[in-house]
Amino acid sequence: MRFRILVVALLVLLATPVSYAQNVAHTAKARAEILHLIRREKLDLILPIAMRENGIDMWIHVIRAGNPDPMSVHFGGASGYLIFTDRGGDRIERAVLGGGGHPELFDIFGSDDLARAVEGYNRGSVDESVYDEIRDFVGDRDPATIAVNTSEWLTISDGISHSDYMKLESILERALSREVITPGVTTLDDVGWWVREEMFKQGLSSGPSLGVSIPRILYSAVSEAIDPPDVRWWIHHGSYVIQRGDFMTFDIGVRYLDYFVTDYKRNAYVMREGEVSVPEPIQLAYDRAIGAQPIIRKQIKVGQTAKETLDKIVAALETAGYIYTPFIDIGTQDYEMVQEAMIGAGTERSGFSIDLHSQGNNGGSLVTVGPSVAPFRSDRNDIVIKENHIFSFEYMVHTNLPDRPNFPASLNIEGNHVVTSQGVEFLYPPNERILIIR
């Protein structure tokens, strides 16, 4: 039998499906049907491409019942030895040598004896020769290259990003309004818990933690920073009472169907008495931030690697007069780096930082697989942007304010987008204005 073992983190099922149900699942059956459709299309359409592009003849993934596996949600309850073999044609042969597995997702099912052994029945008295079934199955197919999932750092899989975006945006904009916020009374925690309660009412999850996501004050006309400033906030304490003259951002991520996670932000300003518009320096900082978006969008294309895309974005923004301020993704240190890079820039130029991370079944952290475009995600520099790649269009623009010298306001613009052959397309209405709280 001729084969060699290629150990890779082949999380191929976690690419974007070609299509999925458009409506929110209001019943248990509808929810199950949506997830089944996604699993089927990933196996039918994405798996052959992923295996062949990586030169994989066979992929073996093992899921043990009772031991939570980040990939298990993608196989619909199958466990044991899941073996995928490229035998030519349009379809990858899919086998479950274990238990479970839907007949529309898998072609071959192993023996009951093997399934019971894998499950753990009568451990210690089982004839170990039952496992010869796996050896014989692999040997009959004689793959030259076998891939198995193993990694010292990758602990979760990537996927697609989906939710009822319009509903969620409505929740967020209501949260940043006088419906929820009373200047001088409402705390940041109050806003965070209001949003979480609304999510709960609509069947959207934000996780089991006792803590909540709260708005971040980027600028305050009346309040000083309590802790050293972070690139993500000027004030970020749940007990802080929102004041007139505060400019804030709110970062929201929710989980839907235990599978899809969003990640986007909105910005709001609390009007001071007598003000009829956002103060000019803050509006300028916001306009500079939004102005970078079309420049960045033009540089993102199907077929480019993450590194090629980052280099093009940096060059284009520098040509437009922005100053590159790359991050290491440690907020306080990042802010110090921004301050140093912008010494002498005044209000004439703004800095920028890029983090176009893949968006999947987690909130977009470093464990998300995919062509993430950021200087601190260089381990995936060579990953190519594919058609229908869903990502979080996240970047920051830093602008000095006249009344806060050497402490630039860092505005984070973010939303979930998709890359197609037509370029970057919005999945829902983009961030285009500062929300006003009177």
Side-chain angles (χ1 to χ4, degrees), residues 15 30 75 98 125 141 150 200 225 299 332:
F75 301 114
S125 61
R141 283 147 184 80
T150 182
F200 180 77
Q299 317 310 317
T332 52

Side-chain angles (χ1 to χ4, degrees), residues 417-434:
H417 293 33
V418 61
V419 187
T420 72
S421 57
Q422 304 302 311
V424 175
E425 300 184 37
F426 296 104
L427 289 174
Y428 48 86
N431 185 343
E432 294 181 323
R433 73 188 194 284
I434 298 175

Side-chain angles (χ1 to χ4, degrees), residues 276-317:
V276 295
S277 62
V278 175
E280 184 176 346
I282 294 176
Q283 187 64 57
L284 173 64
Y286 181 80
D287 291 344
R288 293 263 183 89
I290 293 298
Q293 190 169 69
I295 299 173
I296 298 172
R297 288 182 70 192
K298 292 178 182 178
Q299 317 310 317
I300 306 169
K301 294 181 173 60
V302 171
Q304 292 179 173
T305 66
K307 183 60 165 60
E308 290 170 341
T309 303
L310 178 61
D311 290 345
K312 289 184 177 182
I313 290 171
V314 170
L317 285 174

Side-chain angles (χ1 to χ4, degrees), residues 137-381:
F137 183 91
V138 174
D140 287 346
R141 283 147 184 80
D142 193 22
T145 304
I146 299 176
V148 295
N149 282 12
T150 182
S151 175
E152 295 179 355
W153 59 272
L154 188 62
T155 58
I156 197 169
S157 52
D158 185 23
I160 67 170
S161 173
H162 170 74
S163 187
D164 189 353
Y165 293 116
M166 298 304 295
K167 180 189 298 182
L168 189 57
E169 182 180 32
S170 175
I171 291 174
L172 182 55
E173 295 200 0
R174 285 174 61 202
L176 298 176
S177 74
R178 278 303 295 271
E179 178 182 354
V180 178
I181 296 175
T182 300
V185 175
T186 307
T187 67
L188 298 181
D189 262 350
D190 291 337
V191 178
W193 278 110
W194 182 90
V195 170
R196 186 149 171 180
E197 292 291 351
E198 289 298 308
M199 290 179 181
F200 180 77
K201 292 176 186 176
Q202 300 190 37
L204 299 171
S205 170
S206 59
S209 172
L210 180 61
V212 292
S213 177
I214 62 176
R216 304 166 179 179
I217 306 299
L218 302 179
Y219 168 87
S220 178
V222 297
S223 303
E224 292 295 328
I226 300 172
D227 300 316
D230 187 292
V231 73
R232 295 159 293 190
W233 58 72
W234 182 252
I235 299 172
H236 190 243
H237 290 272
S239 60
Y240 175 78
V241 177
I242 298 169
Q243 304 292 323
R244 293 192 177 277
D246 284 352
F247 178 54
M248 69 187 79
T249 187
F250 202 176
D251 186 1
I252 286 291
V254 300
R255 185 176 295 276
Y256 176 64
L257 291 177
D258 294 328
Y259 198 88
F260 310 106
V261 178
T262 65
D263 191 11
Y264 71 91
K265 296 178 177 68
R266 287 294 184 266
N267 301 279
Y269 177 74
V270 186
M271 288 287 199
R272 304 179 76 179
E273 298 293 345
E275 284 184 330
V276 295
S277 62
V278 175
E280 184 176 346
I282 294 176
Q283 187 64 57
L284 173 64
Y286 181 80
D287 291 344
R288 293 263 183 89
I290 293 298
Q293 190 169 69
I295 299 173
I296 298 172
R297 288 182 70 192
K298 292 178 182 178
Q299 317 310 317
I300 306 169
K301 294 181 173 60
V302 171
Q304 292 179 173
T305 66
K307 183 60 165 60
E308 290 170 341
T309 303
L310 178 61
D311 290 345
K312 289 184 177 182
I313 290 171
V314 170
L317 285 174
E318 287 184 331
T319 298
Y322 292 82
I323 301 168
Y324 186 33
T325 56
F327 277 178
I328 59 173
D329 205 29
I330 301 177
T332 52
Q333 293 184 37
D334 286 339
Y335 196 81
E336 292 172 357
M337 293 166 63
V338 169
Q339 288 176 296
E340 182 177 353
M342 294 186 62
I343 292 175
T347 58
E348 302 303 316
R349 300 178 68 192
S350 296
F352 71 93
S353 309
I354 302 295
D355 184 17
L356 312 182
H357 57 79
S358 294
Q359 191 64 37
N361 60 357
N362 66 78
S365 65
L366 276 174
V367 297
T368 306
V369 180
S372 296
V373 180
F376 52 87
R377 303 179 194 263
S378 59
D379 57 301
R380 58 216 70 189
N381 276 346

